[in-house]
Amino acid sequence: MSHQNEHIDALLQSCLLGKSSAQMEVYNRYYKAMFNTAFRIVKDSAEAEDVMQESFLNAFTKLHTFKGDVTFGAWLKRIVINNSIYHYKKQQKTQAVDLDDVMYKVEDNEAVDLDHNGYTELKAQKVMETMKSLKDNYRVSLTLHLVEGYDYEEISEIMNISYANCRTTISRAKESLRKKLTVNI
């Protein structure tokens, strides 16, 4: 086990004992990545902040259920994604959102390079800007697949759709993205 993993395990044990300093250290270690994850789904920085805060509260209150099968960061990210999707769907019922008002910022640009012809950073930026114009289910499924790295089975579970529907949605989303990118070039 690495020193990093030992340290997070010790922090989590302190969190289980209710030590707020340990909770703050865990929060400080993960909040940026969790905010970015929430922001990519809910598309509003204030809402992403709310989702992230709620997710940390959920994680700390349910920490006793963390089994360690995956890293703590992956477990926390799953909570953030689930809360983000729930929050986003709830917001969609009450208001229509103009997708053109959203600008994406992605730290891990390499994950979205679709054709590996160089210009990776520029293309990744173009891909993320173009993704905002996709239908919501296309945008969310592609974000989960290309940016967050989830497989089809995990995405179908998160989005509450069948495995076949998930594969079809992602395939169509990629095709729609390709078409929009070739028009914009």
Side-chain angles (χ1 to χ4, degrees):
M1 183 184 297
S2 74
H3 178 68
Q4 181 81 3
N5 289 345
E6 289 174 11
H7 186 64
I8 193 69
D9 288 344
L11 277 174
L12 295 177
Q13 287 304 315
S14 295
C15 289
L16 282 169
L17 298 173
K19 294 189 178 174
S20 59
S21 61
Q23 291 176 338
M24 194 62 178
E25 191 171 335
V26 169
Y27 175 84
N28 287 333
R29 185 175 291 194
Y30 290 99
Y31 82 93
K32 286 180 186 172
M34 297 307 128
F35 173 82
N36 289 338
T37 297
F39 181 73
R40 286 188 202 99
I41 295 172
V42 299
K43 306 182 295 181
D44 178 79
S45 59
E47 290 177 38
E49 183 76 27
D50 290 345
V51 168
M52 181 197 60
Q53 296 289 340
E54 180 183 328
S55 298
F56 271 101
L57 285 173
N58 291 351
F60 288 136
T61 57
K62 301 217 187 294
L63 191 55
H64 64 280
T65 66
F66 175 61
K67 303 290 186 233
D69 328 356
V70 295
T71 65
F72 175 75
W75 183 75
L76 180 60
K77 183 184 271 192
R78 183 56 159 261
I79 293 171
V80 171
I81 287 172
N82 288 341
N83 283 346
S84 297
I85 290 173
Y86 172 78
H87 185 74
Y88 181 76
K89 286 180 178 177
K90 192 168 93 176
Q91 289 299 106
Q92 290 305 295
K93 289 179 183 175
T94 60
Q95 68 183 34
V97 176
D98 183 6
L99 290 175
D100 293 330
D101 291 342
V102 181
M103 184 58 103
Y104 287 88
K105 293 180 173 103
V106 178
E107 293 173 1
D108 48 359
N109 291 331
E110 295 78 19
V112 293
D113 184 25
L114 296 178
D115 60 8
H116 307 288
N117 283 339
Y119 317 109
T120 303
E121 195 167 319
L122 183 60
K123 284 187 176 190
Q125 193 174 18
K126 186 69 162 174
V127 168
M128 294 310 293
E129 287 174 16
T130 306
M131 277 179 65
K132 70 183 177 181
S133 67
L134 295 176
K135 290 179 7 182
D136 288 344
N137 62 329
Y138 285 2
R139 182 186 47 75
V140 171
S141 63
L142 275 184
T143 298
L144 292 172
H145 186 62
L146 297 175
V147 179
E148 302 299 335
Y150 285 98
D151 63 27
Y152 295 125
E153 193 171 304
E154 293 169 319
I155 295 169
S156 63
E157 199 175 293
I158 290 168
M159 295 183 70
N160 199 24
I161 58 177
S162 71
Y163 181 84
N165 189 359
C166 177
R167 288 183 59 95
T168 301
T169 300
I170 290 174
S171 175
R172 289 179 181 165
K174 285 179 181 177
E175 186 57 33
S176 177
L177 184 61
R178 279 188 198 99
K179 285 179 182 173
K180 287 178 182 281
L181 285 169
T182 55
V183 167
N184 292 334
I185 292 177

